[in-house]
Amino acid sequence: QVQLVESGGGLVQAGGSLRLSCAASGSSFRIYDMGWDRQAPGKQRDLVARITFGGTTNYANSVKGRFTISRDNAKNTVYLQMNSLKPEDTAVYYCYVRDVRGGYWGQGTQVTVSS
C-alpha cells in the first residue's frame, strides 16, 4: 500500500506564497504521475497540477503562471510552489500519485488564503 505524507499547508495572506510537499512510500513500482488536486467547501475535487516521471507538467487554467509543480524521483517526492495566492485558492489540497496498480490520494492539507 502506498503511503503519502503531505506537508506545507497553512494560512497566508492574499499575494503570499506557500510550498506543499508530498513524500510517497510503500510502492515497489515506479511512480508514473504525481500531482495535486484541491477541494473547496461545497465544491467538487479538481485537478490542480500533474507531473510525469519524465517531467512533463500540466496545470489547471486557474493556477497557470502562479503555481509550479516539481518532483524528486530519487525521493518519490512532489512539490507545489504556490505564488500570488488568492482567496479562491482556499481549499484542502490532496497529493496524488499513480503507479502501475492505480492512483492514490493523501489525506489532504488545508490551505487558507485571507483577503
Side-chain angles (χ1 to χ4, degrees), residues 1-7 21-23 36-39 45 91-97 104-110:
Q1 185 72 313
V2 175
Q3 292 84 44
L4 301 174
V5 178
E6 300 151 324
S7 61
S21 301
C22 174
W36 297 88
D37 298 342
R38 68 185 181 187
Q39 187 168 19
R45 188 177 299 188
V92 178
Y93 284 69
Y94 297 90
C95 176
Y96 166 82
V97 303
Y104 306 88
W105 281 266
Q107 293 296 309
T109 184
Q110 177 70 45

Side-chain angles (χ1 to χ4, degrees), residues 28-77:
S28 56
F29 302 101
R30 171 173 289 184
I31 293 178
Y32 296 124
D33 301 332
M34 305 184 83
W36 297 88
D37 298 342
R38 68 185 181 187
Q39 187 168 19
K43 296 188 177 181
Q44 67 180 21
R45 188 177 299 188
D46 292 324
L47 181 150
V48 175
R50 290 285 186 272
I51 184 168
T52 67
F53 184 84
T56 301
T57 59
N58 70 288
Y59 297 91
N61 287 334
S62 59
V63 306
K64 283 182 180 177
R66 300 187 297 121
F67 291 10
T68 302
I69 190 170
S70 60
R71 66 188 282 174
D72 184 331
N73 290 332
K75 296 180 180 179
N76 279 343
T77 299

